[in-house]
Amino acid sequence: MKLSSKHFRVLGAASVAGALSLTVATTSGASSGGLAAGAPVKIGISLSLSGDFSADGLAFQQGYKLWAADVNKTGGLLGHKVVLDIVSDASSPTQVVTNYQKLVTQDHVNLTFGPFSSLLSLPAGKTLSRSGYALIEGAGGGPSVFQAGLKNIFDVSLPVANNFIPFATWIDSLPASTRPKTVAYVTSNDPFTEPQLTTIEPLLTKAGIKQVYNKVFPAEVTDFTPIADAVAAAKPQVVVLGSTDVPTVSAFMQAFEQSGYTPKVFIATGGPDQGSTFIKAVGAGNADGVMVPNAWYGGSSNPLSKKMVAEYIKQYGGTAAGVSSDVVEAYSVGEVAAQAVKATGGFDNTKIINYLHSGAVMQSAQGPVKFNAVGENVTPTAFTFQWQAKGTKFVQINPVGDPNSVKVLFPKPAWGK
Amino acid sequence: MNSTALLSAAKDGILTGSIYALMATGLTLIFGVMDLINIAQGILVILGAYLSYALQLHWHIDLFLGLLITIPAMFVVGIVVERLFFRRLTGPEKTGMSILITYAVSLLIEGTLNMVFSVNDVQLQAWYVNKSFAIGSVHFGFIYVAGFVLAAVLLSALYFMLYRTRFGVSVRASVADQTSAALVGIDVKRVSTITFGIGVAVTAVGGMIYGATNAFNASSSYDLISRLLTIIVLGGMGSLGGAMLAGVGMVFVGDMVGVIWSPIWSSMSYFIVLAVVLLFRPQGLFGKQSARVA
Amino acid sequence: MTSKLKYLWWVVALAVFAVYPVVETNPSDQTIGVYTLLFMACAASWNMFSGYSGYIALGSSVFYGVGAYTMALISIHAHMAPGAAMFWLAPLGGLVAVAFAIPIGWIALRVRRHTFVVITIAIFFIFQLGAINFNFTGGTGGLSLPFIQWNTSYYSVPFYYVALGIVIFATVLSAVVRRSRFGLQLMAIRDDEDRALGLGVKVGAVKLTGFALSAFAIGMAGAVYAMFQGQIYPQFVFDPTFDVSVALMSFFGGLGTLTGPLLGALVLESAQQYLTATYSNNSLYLILFGALFLIVINFMPRGIVSFFIDRRRRALAAVAASASATPPAPAPSNVGSLV
């Protein structure tokens, strides 16, 4: 899927939308954090438009743009049209620092939104902390980000460590006759995936499932056949894969097919939640049965989410199941920022930071948002999702017993096209 | 772990290693004949992969049939690059300069590939890419076996060319000593150009197989070139047999380490093997013994 | 150019660099200055060994990374208070880098030039993979240093001056080596190693010493970088493009000259920062960079500075030839030149 957007187009689109809304509301008499009436509010964002995180960076850009367009349709933030100032960091932490410095000191942005990945959020957060800016982000949820104890980082998405708990509960709930007996853990060497596996390993052991393979592979591996061969040779019935992107999952799936091996249960930490990108990579027939934990999915009944999904489909086509979770993460960042701005009556970052730490509950397309002292969102629950019906349905299966959960497709059907 | 795991790892090492051996052979041949280190070999492999990708995407040409187009195409690319950049390279600093020049060329190619194909990872697809057959409990992927066969055929052809044709004699003479070769009437410039072309043409095959078995984009070239360089040094720069043996050997060792110990140490084992071998044989396995270094 | 004039140029340049952060108060530009200075120090130091001896080392990022991790590990485990005190760890980072350089050099220098290039690459990857995979280095998550709270408006400035100090140190060291007997021995090795050996130069010891010396400033630069960034990740302090960049900058400016690497780093690093910041399009930057490189190599194959030195020599020689009857043939060598 090729997406080539330049940030100028963002500014162009936002300005057009903004110009239309200028005729609508006017600013109130209250303070706008120093913004003159009619002046646009600039939001600075550094995104990975190239490099390792580019696929996610581009999806994030879509989410941010969608939010900006929506907000400008209803008059902007406190009557000021929103203008996104997006720069590329090429997935480099060095560049991220320079970017946010430039955005703050040269472009004089009023607010800053986050980049993609825990690797980049932390340097960004530190840089912005020195200028007193808040960093509201949707994808830097690795524990290392919050361990630094910064007060200005706010991650609107689910903290990752507990992603697998509903899944583990489901496995535990299976009767002894059908419950899988062996499990293989294989994960990329990454601060996003490894904590999730660390959480689930004792849980599955307690459920009586024997670990037959547990290895970490370097993040830069591109030929997964040897690793998949080794996993297949151990014949595990459950495979828990720590992956961060579609190519990794798809490569494993292909390698498993080549090794003539199908696990009964296959769950990956990231990749299958990327909607149509995932289906295109693995083929609709192979997607069935693949599971992934997340706090949100395209078919969510949350009214804010439905609205966003509808707009996304109108602009980019496709189906609800095809919407990547990156898009909603970015969109939610905007929503939370908008609510903070409205509550504090302006764009003063200190006030915004205090408000976000005040325990206030905000709403987003991903669900409710409430931050703890280090900026983690403590309200969302993890769900487990699964592809069914030949790659056309992406449905919620866990927690079992949740009114929105459907029957789990178990065991996983054999590979086929 | 069980025997299936070990056998599978051995199988992977040998099949994948043959492809690296093929690509490394091209690289070591270039060095042997021209005293040039072609850092762009990595990105040329990727270019070959993208060519196969484009052929398949736009004209639905099968990957293997497409080689009939990509191999000559890459040969031409090699000749053009050699003519453009290496003709004027002479003197004692030739090799050092070649590193710089080929690095700059690889940047150009990388940037262009990024612009044309975007930075998103792609992989070559075909109905047979995931199919495999089994011998006992070990599964052999079609594409890996095909790659191995191709590599074996091409390497044999290369050997035949070098040891049974007149051109091959010219090449070997140039490798042994360029000045003497010129003195006996060998057109060293022509030999160099064609050799460079051959060295690059093999990347078409390497690229196709690599692209079918790995998700790649232009920046995959860095990992590739570092492995290829390691292989030719281990084998002995300029030695074809060395490149072949080292190519298969390194990947084999890497895969075995990955299965016995952990995939994390798999890559590192490449470089540790190199460092250890060089400690005892500074010229590599089959390299020419140079004058004693104090 | 008389010696006095040459010294004047150095003083002027130094003054310009010293005044830069005062004049250019924009923190982004100051940050670019910091990165540029760090690269200048690394290029000058790298050139001191590789340029003078002809042994192109493409693994100098190892020293950078070692310096960075030293700064990080010590400041974290000694529970240092964030602040200027951490600067004292920079020379320590340099020393640790030298300590690593000795065994690395001993292994790597056993081989001849072309093989040497590759083995330095291999050793580099061993370090990078080690940093990624060992626990005490924090793995891919890297290490987070004590957080320095200086205000954005002047944050970069102390780092700028420290980096400038390192550049001055590296340049002075390079100049001293150049005019010493030790430097002559290095250059003899570059010109013809066997002959040097035959003439009694202790080739092995000389190479190893040069290699180890070059590690010091690079290690310091890595330590300062770690402090500046606030956190380090293995793939960014052990960065293969750093290796090549440092070499390219020296070649670009003029391998084996004194100012060449400084000039090369100044031009290339600020260009890169500027291009990436302005164009946000990595591909365009790669193409421009590659093209620029090829053009310079084409017209000035020995680097910019060498190009001008050679031209001046030829001009002087032509003048001398027309004055006298004998046509001198100046060999383009940079020994004894202060440029």
Side-chain angles (χ1 to χ4, degrees):
Chain A
M1 198 154 75
K2 272 186 266 183
L3 297 155
S4 60
S5 337
K6 299 194 183 6
H7 58 273
F8 300 115
R9 254 204 263 152
V10 167
L11 291 174
S15 330
V16 166
L20 289 174
S21 67
L22 261 181
T23 56
V24 186
T26 56
T27 55
S28 68
S31 143
S32 287
L35 261 191
V41 55
K42 286 203 270 193
I43 305 188
I45 313 172
S46 171
L47 278 181
S48 307
L49 299 178
S50 66
D52 287 339
F53 308 131
S54 53
D56 301 286
L58 291 164
F60 250 64
Q61 194 181 43
Q62 285 182 328
Y64 283 139
K65 276 163 67 175
L66 204 58
W67 169 78
D70 279 352
V71 137
N72 285 334
K73 261 187 243 164
T74 54
L77 288 179
L78 294 181
H80 300 272
K81 85 169 184 260
V82 166
V83 165
L84 297 180
D85 188 353
I86 299 185
V87 286
S88 173
D89 52 42
S91 308
S92 150
T94 322
Q95 197 59 43
V96 140
V97 166
T98 320
N99 281 355
Y100 279 106
Q101 262 192 344
K102 172 172 167 287
L103 288 169
V104 166
T105 58
Q106 247 174 295
D107 296 358
H108 300 293
V109 297
N110 306 95
L111 299 172
T112 43
F113 289 170
F116 178 82
S117 132
S118 316
L119 235 53
L120 303 179
S121 303
L122 193 47
K126 284 190 177 180
T127 312
L128 290 171
S129 167
R130 296 188 193 110
S131 317
Y133 272 65
L135 182 69
I136 310 178
E137 47 106 357
S144 49
V145 174
F146 305 107
Q147 272 158 14
L150 289 174
K151 292 269 167 285
N152 65 326
I153 298 187
F154 301 95
D155 181 6
V156 306
S157 302
L158 170 75
V160 300
N162 300 327
N163 269 349
F164 277 138
I165 295 186
F167 171 73
T169 318
W170 167 71
I171 295 245
D172 206 25
S173 71
L174 292 171
S177 52
T178 49
R179 192 187 301 181
K181 312 257 179 317
T182 51
V183 62
Y185 301 103
V186 52
T187 171
S188 165
N189 188 348
D190 183 282
F192 166 75
T193 59
E194 289 192 89
Q196 299 186 48
L197 269 76
T198 319
T199 313
I200 195 182
E201 281 164 29
L203 296 175
L204 290 187
T205 312
K206 214 164 63 135
I209 306 185
K210 195 163 91 99
Q211 171 185 304
V212 295
Y213 182 94
N214 187 349
K215 297 242 189 320
V216 181
F217 60 86
E220 65 272 355
V221 162
T222 49
D223 184 4
F224 293 97
T225 305
I227 302 174
D229 273 348
V231 173
K235 295 205 188 331
Q237 293 177 326
V238 179
V239 170
V240 177
L241 173 63
S243 58
T244 52
D245 56 18
V246 170
T248 310
V249 186
S250 118
F252 261 96
M253 289 170 63
Q254 289 180 328
F256 281 144
E257 186 179 342
Q258 237 180 46
S259 310
Y261 166 71
T262 309
K264 289 210 177 118
V265 179
F266 180 48
I267 184 167
T269 55
D273 53 352
Q274 300 289 315
S276 47
T277 316
F278 174 70
I279 297 292
K280 268 204 205 123
V282 305
N286 279 334
D288 278 8
V290 176
M291 305 179 189
V292 62
N294 207 306
W296 173 91
Y297 72 121
S300 160
S301 48
N302 176 319
L304 289 173
S305 163
K306 281 178 131 149
K307 181 161 157 287
M308 186 212 86
V309 168
E311 284 165 3
Y312 182 90
I313 294 178
K314 207 162 84 176
Q315 184 153 4
Y316 298 104
T319 65
V323 180
S324 154
S325 53
D326 288 337
V327 172
V328 74
E329 284 165 6
Y331 195 90
S332 305
V333 167
E335 291 176 303
V336 165
Q339 288 167 73
V341 161
K342 198 150 151 242
T344 58
F347 304 102
D348 182 326
N349 271 283
T350 321
K351 287 198 191 145
I352 289 177
I353 293 177
N354 287 336
Y355 174 74
L356 293 172
H357 273 309
S358 67
V361 176
M362 292 155 277
Q363 297 303 326
S364 79
Q366 289 191 114
V369 176
K370 177 174 152 183
F371 296 110
N372 66 6
V374 289
E376 290 176 301
N377 180 2
V378 293
T379 49
T381 10
F383 300 106
T384 316
F385 299 97
Q386 189 182 42
W387 286 95
Q388 296 181 357
K390 293 248 174 293
T392 54
K393 287 202 182 161
F394 188 61
V395 292
Q396 177 186 320
I397 52 169
N398 293 334
V400 180
D402 182 284
N404 287 326
S405 295
V406 306
K407 184 159 149 43
V408 183
L409 178 58
F410 167 68
K412 187 191 172 330
W415 312 107
K417 282 240 161 68
Chain B
M1 80 232 57
N2 53 40
S3 59
T4 309
L6 287 171
L7 284 174
S8 291
K11 172 256 311 180
D12 287 323
I14 295 177
L15 293 185
T16 309
S18 65
I19 298 298
Y20 278 94
L22 180 66
M23 301 190 278
T25 307
L27 189 57
T28 210
L29 194 61
I30 293 174
F31 176 77
V33 170
M34 303 166 76
D35 264 330
L36 299 179
I37 300 184
N38 180 22
I39 303 282
Q41 190 83 343
I43 196 69
L44 289 169
V45 170
I46 301 290
L47 178 59
Y50 269 120
L51 279 178
S52 295
Y53 176 73
L55 284 178
Q56 182 197 52
L57 198 64
H58 294 298
W59 291 290
H60 305 292
I61 300 182
D62 171 74
L63 299 176
F64 285 92
L65 284 179
L67 285 180
L68 293 174
I69 302 178
T70 59
I71 295 183
M74 292 305 286
F75 182 76
V76 168
V77 166
I79 302 233
V80 165
V81 166
E82 198 270 340
R83 276 249 144 88
L84 271 181
F85 301 113
F86 299 129
R87 275 289 143 131
R88 303 152 69 186
L89 215 51
T90 48
E93 301 206 356
K94 203 162 75 154
T95 315
M97 291 301 289
S98 70
I99 296 182
L100 285 187
I101 294 183
T102 49
Y103 180 70
V105 169
S106 71
L107 286 182
L108 273 178
I109 301 181
E110 187 188 341
T112 315
L113 286 176
N114 277 339
M115 297 203 84
V116 172
F117 291 102
S118 95
V119 295
N120 293 329
D121 282 343
V122 296
Q123 193 162 349
L124 301 178
Q125 305 285 355
W127 63 268
Y128 46 79
V129 167
N130 294 338
K131 297 280 176 275
S132 60
F133 63 89
I135 300 184
S137 58
V138 178
H139 289 258
F140 290 75
F142 277 11
I143 191 82
Y144 288 97
V145 173
F148 178 76
V149 168
L150 257 183
V153 164
L154 283 174
L155 286 170
S156 316
L158 211 54
Y159 242 87
F160 180 84
M161 185 269 290
L162 280 175
Y163 287 93
R164 291 270 187 278
T165 67
R166 272 195 70 178
F167 179 71
V169 171
S170 316
V171 172
R172 280 186 292 134
S174 306
V175 172
D177 191 323
Q178 277 196 16
T179 325
S180 312
L183 282 175
V184 300
I186 293 177
D187 184 349
V188 176
K189 276 210 185 349
R190 185 170 152 270
V191 168
S192 301
T193 310
I194 298 185
T195 307
F196 198 84
I198 295 177
V200 173
V202 298
T203 63
V205 177
M208 189 277 273
I209 304 286
Y210 180 81
T213 53
N214 295 277
F216 67 93
N217 67 5
S219 58
S220 311
S221 59
Y222 292 107
D223 177 63
L224 261 177
I225 189 63
S226 58
R227 286 182 195 230
L228 291 178
L229 285 175
T230 316
I231 290 174
I232 65 170
V233 169
L234 179 63
M237 291 180 76
S239 157
L240 272 96
M244 292 185 226
L245 192 63
V248 176
M250 293 283 249
V251 182
F252 180 82
V253 167
D255 283 343
M256 293 306 274
V257 165
V259 128
I260 297 175
W261 199 357
S262 163
I264 289 199
W265 306 112
S266 198
S267 301
M268 207 154 139
S269 60
Y270 265 49
F271 303 107
I272 296 187
V273 166
L274 176 71
V276 167
V277 169
L278 287 182
L279 260 182
F280 298 107
R281 272 186 83 86
Q283 71 273 32
L285 292 173
F286 298 110
K288 294 185 268 194
Q289 175 87 304
S290 38
R292 210 179 71 88
V293 181
Chain C
M1 210 186 281
T2 67
S3 296
K4 288 228 175 59
L5 211 54
K6 276 188 210 164
Y7 280 117
L8 189 60
W9 271 115
W10 281 108
V11 171
V12 168
L14 192 59
V16 167
F17 274 106
V19 170
Y20 175 78
V22 178
V23 168
E24 180 62 68
T25 50
N26 187 321
S28 296
D29 291 335
Q30 291 173 344
T31 304
I32 294 183
V34 173
Y35 288 131
T36 307
L37 284 175
L38 288 178
F39 265 101
M40 283 168 74
C42 292
S45 200
W46 179 87
N47 174 66
M48 185 172 73
F49 173 68
S50 290
Y52 296 167
S53 74
Y55 272 74
I56 310 295
L58 282 187
S60 47
S61 176
V62 170
F63 308 136
Y64 196 73
V66 164
Y69 271 95
T70 307
M71 163 73 78
L73 286 169
I74 295 187
S75 62
I76 293 175
H77 291 292
H79 299 291
M80 285 184 80
M86 286 163 67
F87 278 123
W88 292 112
L89 290 179
L92 186 58
L95 285 174
V96 174
V98 171
F100 273 89
I102 295 178
I104 291 175
W106 186 80
I107 298 178
L109 288 164
R110 291 165 62 85
V111 304
R112 279 291 169 135
R113 247 160 256 198
H114 311 321
T115 320
F116 176 75
V117 178
V118 178
I119 196 174
T120 53
I121 298 178
I123 292 180
F124 157 77
F125 274 107
I126 294 179
F127 271 81
Q128 189 204 52
L129 293 167
I132 292 178
N133 295 317
F134 285 125
N135 272 332
F136 77 93
T137 52
T140 23
L143 294 173
S144 196
L145 283 83
F147 181 44
I148 300 179
Q149 299 261 20
W150 302 332
N151 195 297
T152 297
S153 54
Y154 57 81
Y155 181 80
S156 305
V157 176
F159 291 97
Y160 180 90
Y161 285 112
V162 170
L164 185 58
I166 301 180
V167 171
I168 295 175
F169 169 79
T171 310
V172 167
L173 184 62
S174 194
V176 164
V177 163
R178 214 144 187 261
R179 298 163 113 220
S180 71
R181 196 159 148 262
F182 174 67
L184 268 179
Q185 291 175 327
L186 274 174
M187 294 194 228
I189 292 176
R190 175 184 65 192
D191 291 332
D192 192 329
E193 183 162 351
D194 295 316
R195 202 126 172 257
L197 185 60
L199 287 170
V201 173
K202 289 192 178 38
V203 166
V206 166
K207 286 192 290 187
L208 191 56
T209 314
F211 189 70
L213 268 183
S214 74
F216 189 65
I218 300 181
M220 277 207 288
V224 171
Y225 169 81
M227 198 179 146
F228 182 66
Q229 278 284 103
Q231 62 277 320
I232 54 175
Y233 301 98
Q235 64 269 42
F236 293 104
V237 291
F238 289 108
D239 185 355
T241 50
F242 172 92
D243 290 337
V244 189
S245 301
V246 163
L248 288 181
M249 288 168 186
S250 304
F251 269 96
F252 189 80
L255 188 69
T257 62
L258 193 59
T259 45
L262 295 173
L263 186 65
L266 182 61
V267 169
L268 291 181
E269 179 60 14
S270 22
Q272 188 214 7
Q273 292 279 335
Y274 175 71
L275 281 175
T276 329
T278 318
Y279 288 109
S280 277
N281 187 338
N282 208 32
S283 328
L284 199 60
Y285 152 68
L286 284 174
I287 296 180
L288 286 177
F289 206 65
L292 174 67
F293 229 82
L294 286 172
I295 293 175
V296 169
I297 290 180
N298 205 21
F299 292 113
M300 300 187 257
R302 299 181 60 230
I304 299 178
V305 172
S306 309
F307 177 72
F308 286 109
I309 294 180
D310 290 347
R311 247 182 37 165
R312 196 156 45 86
R313 266 188 228 273
R314 277 200 291 274
L316 287 176
V319 167
S322 58
S324 77
T326 54
S333 127
N334 302 312
V335 179
S337 157
L338 195 60
V339 175

